[in-house]
Amino acid sequence: MKKLKITGGNPLSGRVRISGAKNSAVALIPAAILASDKVTIYNVPMITDTFALCEILEYLGAKVEKKQDTLIIDPSSIEPKEISYELSQKLRASYYFLGALLGKYKYAKMCFPGGCPIGERPINLHLKGFEALGAKVSVEKNCYIVEAEELHGAKIYLDVASVGATINIMLAAVYAKGETIIDNAAKEPEIVNIATFLNNMGAKITGAGTSRIHIYGVSHLDGCFTEVIPDRIEAGTYILAGVLCGDDLKIENIIPKHIESLLSKLREMGAEFDVEYDSVTIHKSLSLRPTNIETAVYPGFPTDLQQPFMVLLTQVEGTSQIEENIWENRFMQVPYLNRMGANIRILGNTAIIKGGGKLEGREVLATDLRAGAAMILAGLVASGETVIKDVEHILRGYEDIVSKLQAVGAKIELMED
Ligand code: EPU
């Protein structure tokens, strides 16, 4: 186990370069299975989640070559072997192997996926989609088995605009006979990244990024290359660090449109920043106004930034509110922020933050990935020393977070617990 030690109160200035998006990369890597030849994926974040997926690919028989932030995957010798619990529980996104293997081999057996304990996290909509395409789904011990003689196009309505279900159904449907339509599809930028990758292989997908996606089945997909889009959640986390304690902190290699909901809120609060084509520079803000946010599917305010955003609200004089509408258990950071001196009360799915008080360094936990990011931001702005335990959660999703923060002036160290 590892822990982080942060000495707060140091201004952050300089440049932070944002890595490729975790939530794109974790789908692009399993999607490589669908190609008949080598695929090259650029700008892959080197985080434990992507390492875990490469391990599963190699176990299945793929050849995976890593060259800095590039992955070259040769899926030509893959076999659809059972993926054990030991491998599947390392991360949530292992569920994409179900769609990709089903699409290519008409058979997948994988134990239940893992991931952050932020809610129930059912995958009923993924399975409903597979069934609509003609697959039989069964559960044996702790494993899903999805299999089909033949997959055929279908019209699928998602009760919830689920990111995972939208991508998994696309993966399963690219080789299905005929046309598949996904209605109420998720519109997140990561979906467009995956659809573009599949289209580069020769798939025929239109409408990705809208709530109706059409997939016209094909019989062959070639090797190709693609690039992971910048991580909008990593970008948002560093932007929040900049608003909290930055003094001319430039966040580079981003697509500002992907974080418009965050930038609009910050503008409304009175934060000082300049947006350029692929960067945001945050200046020192003299005073900020409280605000309310409600998490929503894209382009609404992302749930994945709600926890880091809460830290900013603890520092703004007045009462703010956060309504969490995606996950049932995404306020696990609250007891630790309160332990550091915040005044936050939870009423159902709403957190009421009475801001303006000072935070003081304490020993806290990273209960999940984004709660961990929130703890880092709290540690950066708090007085004294903050020790964050269970840091493994953070390392799953933020590439080189310690060295990126050290390079802009933060006093942060990763150590063995
Ligand atoms: N849902 C269902 N049934 C399903 C699928 C989802 O009821 O079959 C519900 C979920 O319970 C949740 C809502 O739909 O209430 C949205 O879930 P979604 O499927 O969109 O989430 P996901 O695909 O499992 C991805 C990201 C999450 C991010 C959400 C929402 C990945 C690997 N994970 O999860 O990222 O919070 O979309 O944007 O892409 C993170 O990065 O910290 C993270 C948790």
Side-chain angles (χ1 to χ4, degrees):
M1 297 299 265
K2 291 191 167 69
K3 64 182 181 185
L4 281 171
K5 195 169 92 182
I6 302 172
T7 308
N10 296 290
L12 305 181
S13 60
R15 294 160 174 236
V16 179
R17 189 182 161 79
I18 296 306
S19 305
K22 167 182 89 76
N23 289 344
S24 266
V26 296
L28 293 169
I29 295 170
I33 288 179
L34 293 158
S36 57
D37 206 347
K38 272 188 190 169
V39 298
T40 303
I41 311 175
Y42 300 107
N43 200 32
V44 178
M46 292 298 145
I47 49 180
T48 49
D49 267 11
T50 54
F51 300 152
L53 292 168
C54 290
E55 194 184 337
I56 300 178
L57 270 185
E58 283 175 329
Y59 157 77
L60 293 172
K63 292 191 191 72
V64 181
E65 224 182 302
K66 286 194 194 88
K67 284 187 188 160
Q68 288 160 347
D69 65 356
T70 299
L71 284 182
I72 302 164
I73 301 168
D74 181 351
S76 55
S77 43
I78 279 183
E79 283 173 48
K81 293 192 279 185
E82 173 179 343
I83 301 171
S84 68
Y85 187 67
E86 197 200 336
L87 291 171
S88 67
Q89 56 76 41
K90 289 194 177 180
L91 76 169
R92 191 74 196 154
S94 54
Y95 56 37
Y96 290 129
F97 282 102
L98 288 174
L101 289 169
L102 176 67
K104 179 85 174 275
Y105 299 99
K106 314 286 173 280
Y107 177 83
K109 181 170 181 186
M110 193 191 82
C111 293
F112 295 163
C116 289
I118 53 179
E120 271 292 301
R121 309 194 81 175
I123 63 161
N124 58 310
L125 298 172
H126 306 223
L127 303 177
K128 171 181 141 174
F130 299 154
E131 282 174 338
L133 295 170
K136 183 171 150 261
V137 176
S138 52
V139 176
E140 200 178 84
K141 294 200 182 130
N142 286 337
C143 295
Y144 292 111
I145 303 172
V146 289
E147 54 198 326
E149 294 272 303
E150 183 182 275
L151 294 172
H152 51 75
K155 206 162 181 306
I156 299 163
Y157 173 80
L158 298 180
D159 301 306
V160 183
S162 153
V163 174
T166 303
I167 294 177
N168 234 342
I169 295 169
M170 285 198 303
L171 299 179
V174 279
Y175 280 120
K177 283 217 167 90
E179 183 186 0
T180 297
I181 298 175
I182 311 176
D183 266 321
N184 197 29
K187 295 184 280 196
E188 272 67 3
E190 291 74 19
I191 313 266
V192 181
N193 204 184
I194 314 311
T196 307
F197 182 44
L198 296 170
N199 283 344
N200 289 351
M201 289 180 194
K204 290 201 174 120
I205 302 174
T206 60
T210 75
S211 56
R212 172 174 275 205
I213 298 179
H214 291 255
I215 304 143
Y216 306 91
V218 295
S219 57
H220 180 83
L221 293 174
D222 287 318
C224 70
F225 60 86
T226 198
E227 184 171 4
V228 184
I229 57 170
D231 194 315
R232 62 196 168 97
I233 307 301
E234 187 198 14
T237 306
Y238 284 103
I239 287 171
L240 287 165
V243 179
L244 274 164
C245 40
D247 196 353
D248 290 338
L249 185 71
K250 187 170 186 180
I251 316 300
E252 298 178 321
N253 188 37
I254 67 171
I255 300 177
K257 184 175 178 286
H258 289 174
I259 42 168
E260 194 44 49
S261 56
L262 171 69
L263 297 178
S264 297
K265 272 290 155 190
L266 292 174
R267 229 174 258 126
E268 206 178 289
M269 293 170 75
E272 304 274 347
F273 57 89
D274 298 316
V275 182
E276 280 162 84
Y277 160 69
D278 66 350
S279 67
V280 173
T281 304
I282 301 116
H283 311 292
K284 214 172 185 151
S285 298
L286 293 177
S287 78
L288 293 173
R289 293 179 280 281
T291 193
N292 299 332
I293 59 165
E294 294 177 23
T295 64
V297 294
Y298 188 82
F301 194 96
T303 168
D304 298 343
L305 282 176
Q306 170 267 106
Q307 293 158 296
F309 196 80
M310 185 181 278
V311 179
L312 177 63
L313 296 181
T314 68
Q315 299 305 291
V316 178
E317 195 73 53
T319 302
S320 298
Q321 285 195 13
I322 295 181
E323 191 179 305
E324 170 57 55
N325 295 313
I326 309 292
W327 301 114
E328 316 85 83
N329 194 24
R330 228 176 188 184
F331 284 145
M332 286 192 290
Q333 72 280 16
V334 170
Y336 297 102
L337 289 175
N338 282 344
R339 188 189 284 182
M340 294 175 77
N343 181 348
I344 306 166
R345 205 157 47 96
I346 300 171
L347 275 180
N349 69 337
T350 301
I352 300 151
I353 302 116
K354 289 215 161 85
K358 294 263 176 284
L359 296 182
E360 285 175 19
R362 291 278 184 276
E363 187 172 296
V364 294
L365 281 190
T367 53
D368 59 82
L369 169 60
R370 309 301 172 187
M375 287 304 133
I376 292 184
L377 297 189
L380 292 173
V381 79
S383 60
E385 192 177 284
T386 297
V387 172
I388 307 174
K389 295 191 150 194
D390 287 0
V391 167
E392 279 70 14
H393 282 299
I394 304 174
L395 305 180
R396 287 191 23 225
Y398 288 90
E399 186 179 55
D400 293 338
I401 189 160
V402 174
S403 49
K404 283 187 186 185
L405 283 170
Q406 282 170 342
V408 292
K411 292 223 159 37
I412 178 168
E413 272 177 88
L414 183 65
M415 45 215 323
E416 290 303 324
D417 196 6

